[in-house]
Amino acid sequence: MPASIVTLNITSRSQDLAIARPGTGVSLQGRLQVPGDKSISHRALMLGSLAEGITTIEGLLLGEDPRSTANCFQAMGAKISPLNAEKVEITGIGLGALQEPESVLDAGNSGTTMRLMLGILASHRDRFFTVTGDDSLRSRPMSRVVKPLQQMGAQIWGRQGNSLAPLAIQGTSLQPIHYHSPIASAQVKSCILLAGLMTEGETTVTEPALSRDHSERMLQAFGASLRVDPETCSVTVQGPAQLHGQQVIVPGDISSAAFWLVAAAITPDSELVVENVGVNPTRTGILDALALMGAEISQENQRLVAGEPVADLRIVTSSLRGCEISGDLIPRLIDEIPILAVAATFAQGTTTIKDAAELRVKESDRLAVMASQLNRMGAKITELPDGLEIVGGTSLVGAEVDSYTDHRIAMSLAIAALNAKGTTTIHRAEAAAISYPEFVSTLERLCHSSV
Ligand code: S3P
């Protein structure tokens, strides 16, 4: 067996991931599966907790973010069996029946946990909740959900004019609203719809472009009455609803598959098949963007699994060209922009990413961090207020870079490092475990098999 090109140096608090490309280079070959979809995993845990009866979840993501969701709902009385990817069983306690937790609810690093949960908590009458998160989450804007919830009558307090966690929530009866969201955000949309579940009447959210629709699909499967109008990007929920336990099968996360798709596209002599990936059209912007850049990518074995479209994705080494990524495509690939920046660095010509200012308020400022860290490796990236301009075709060289504790940055830099000359050390690489605990071992396996 050839020596690994991947070395992990673990100290008590942090992990440095060193990636040294051997002289001959690597190629990536084979078939693999990625862990369960993070968005669907959160929603399954939440709706299972709120439903009456038993919910089973197959393929749950065992990353730190869904663990935060599970811990919060357990603290409010939901019975959730030990988390594993085969099968998790939840005995729900029924809509409106969450118990007041004895202590602060900790959403960790997870924006989805905090924002979706706020809609649920605000509508739980006569109960008091406090919610916090890690350093990153406590600096992320919560007013985008607090304001519409307050329009519904919610009582929420927090730092900086109720915009930052920790937040305190006094649950109460809410009134239905029609909320016109200024941003295409599935977290905002889902928060309001979840608040609408227990609110008498019709609660509607209209967004400027369609964001991921996993909440809509799963709410309907659990028995909520929903009206979806894709033409106007509007969803209406009729409250009060009743949810019934379901069998959820979580597909592989296309946001995790994206790292391997780009890795195979930019690494010479590679061919990968990523099996069982969720290809919900509200999430497949990465496939459209890579196709625009000239990647040879195909979907095989397309099927519908528990209400979500799934396929195996085949990709081979491709010569990529720069393109523009903007407009309605952005919400469909919002989490893939860091790895797309890596693809653009290896493309011929210039790639311009616009309309992506949202990236500045993710787990890190992903525009600033990707530009600064890839530039340390020799890339030519200019930050724009709402995007990046990337001049492709430069050769990358190994450097010391930092994840800024952002999982998607850590993994994007690792894929860049595979094709950089020399050794790259990624500090704080442990962040990958937020959404992809097996990322480093998969990287090792794929590289071993091909050197
Ligand atoms: C998510 C929605 C997106 C995405 C996040 C997960 C969700 O956030 O970036 O990783 O599960 O609803 P926004 O709603 O802020 O765009």
Side-chain angles (χ1 to χ4, degrees):
M1 162 115 20
S4 176
I5 64 165
V6 178
T7 327
L8 201 57
N9 183 10
I10 304 176
T11 61
S12 57
R13 293 186 61 86
S14 164
Q15 293 179 7
D16 289 343
L17 175 63
I19 297 178
R21 190 178 69 163
T24 51
V26 291
S27 68
L28 303 171
Q29 301 280 344
R31 303 179 77 90
L32 72 148
Q33 298 207 352
V34 289
D37 186 278
K38 183 157 78 70
S39 294
I40 297 176
S41 295
H42 283 300
R43 287 158 173 80
L45 289 164
M46 290 186 189
L47 296 196
S49 299
L50 296 175
E52 273 162 35
I54 305 283
T55 289
T56 56
I57 310 174
E58 289 169 44
L60 184 82
L61 167 64
L62 302 180
E64 289 168 22
D65 273 9
R67 287 186 193 280
S68 297
T69 294
N71 290 341
C72 289
F73 281 83
Q74 272 170 330
M76 295 185 285
K79 300 269 177 295
I80 304 178
S81 69
L83 300 192
N84 68 73
E86 273 78 60
K87 197 176 193 177
V88 172
E89 194 173 275
I90 307 180
T91 309
I93 49 178
L95 208 49
L98 289 179
Q99 296 156 17
E100 190 173 85
E102 283 174 16
S103 188
V104 178
L105 297 167
D106 187 356
N109 189 247
S110 175
T112 307
T113 307
M114 185 171 284
R115 294 196 177 115
L116 269 59
M117 199 164 65
L118 281 172
I120 295 168
L121 304 183
S123 50
H124 266 72
R125 229 169 1 140
D126 301 331
R127 271 146 285 182
F128 180 74
F129 309 89
T130 45
V131 189
T132 193
D134 70 5
D135 291 352
S136 156
L137 189 55
R138 280 186 279 102
S139 69
R140 295 179 66 187
M142 291 301 140
S143 40
R144 57 183 56 199
V145 290
V146 169
K147 282 195 174 134
L149 287 174
Q150 285 173 331
Q151 283 176 30
M152 296 177 80
Q155 297 188 49
I156 305 178
W157 302 268
R159 293 184 300 129
Q160 296 196 14
N162 308 326
S163 67
L164 293 180
L167 295 161
I169 303 103
Q170 176 63 57
T172 187
S173 297
L174 303 181
Q175 290 99 50
I177 56 168
H178 184 158
Y179 185 61
H180 294 268
S181 175
I183 43 174
S185 159
Q187 293 180 354
V188 172
K189 172 175 64 180
S190 305
C191 167
I192 307 306
L193 292 177
L194 289 168
L197 284 179
M198 290 211 289
T199 302
E200 179 93 40
E202 291 196 337
T203 298
T204 303
V205 184
T206 298
E207 14 177 31
L210 199 57
S211 65
R212 64 192 67 192
D213 67 356
H214 305 300
S215 295
E216 293 90 306
R217 287 173 190 253
M218 205 183 287
L219 279 168
Q220 280 173 322
F222 273 74
S225 165
L226 238 68
R227 227 172 39 243
V228 179
D229 182 0
E231 285 293 298
T232 58
C233 302
S234 298
V235 195
T236 300
V237 63
Q238 173 75 49
Q242 242 196 343
L243 304 180
H244 304 285
Q246 295 298 313
Q247 187 197 10
V248 181
I249 301 172
V250 184
D253 197 329
I254 193 167
S255 297
S256 299
F259 299 109
W260 307 119
L261 298 179
V262 171
I266 64 174
T267 307
D269 304 319
S270 297
E271 177 164 7
L272 287 179
V273 179
V274 192
E275 297 172 344
N276 191 41
V277 180
V279 286
N280 178 316
T282 60
R283 296 286 298 282
T284 47
I286 176 72
L287 304 183
D288 297 349
L290 285 173
L292 262 178
M293 297 176 86
E296 290 179 48
I297 186 164
S298 58
Q299 294 191 34
E300 300 172 354
N301 197 13
Q302 292 173 337
R303 57 217 186 261
L304 199 68
V305 179
E308 289 278 351
V310 174
D312 302 337
L313 303 178
R314 180 182 294 275
I315 185 148
V316 295
T317 307
S318 311
S319 56
L320 300 182
R321 52 180 182 269
C323 70
E324 181 177 313
I325 300 170
S326 59
D328 288 0
L329 188 52
I330 296 292
R332 295 179 52 236
L333 48 67
I334 188 76
D335 292 335
E336 287 67 76
I337 290 174
I339 191 62
L340 271 171
V342 174
T345 299
F346 288 88
Q348 289 304 318
T350 299
T351 296
T352 310
I353 299 171
K354 292 195 299 201
D355 307 319
E358 269 296 299
L359 260 74
R360 296 204 181 276
V361 290
K362 294 291 179 188
E363 286 83 331
S364 69
D365 177 344
R366 288 181 173 162
L367 298 178
V369 174
M370 281 313 290
S372 66
Q373 302 309 292
L374 283 178
N375 284 347
R376 285 176 78 95
M377 299 173 74
K380 276 199 199 148
I381 305 183
T382 310
E383 252 185 84
L384 308 173
D386 64 343
L388 297 171
E389 190 176 85
I390 302 159
V391 179
T394 51
S395 312
L396 296 194
V397 284
E400 291 213 14
V401 290
D402 192 346
S403 77
Y404 284 75
T405 71
D406 182 328
H407 54 131
R408 301 204 197 279
I409 302 280
M411 294 184 274
S412 299
L413 292 174
I415 301 305
L418 270 189
N419 286 281
K421 193 160 176 252
T423 301
T424 301
T425 302
I426 304 163
H427 296 299
R428 298 193 276 182
E430 72 279 3
I434 290 289
S435 61
Y436 200 159
E438 308 86 358
F439 177 79
V440 174
S441 55
T442 306
L443 182 68
E444 276 182 306
R445 178 170 69 77
L446 290 174
C447 295
H448 266 310
S449 63
S450 54
V451 178

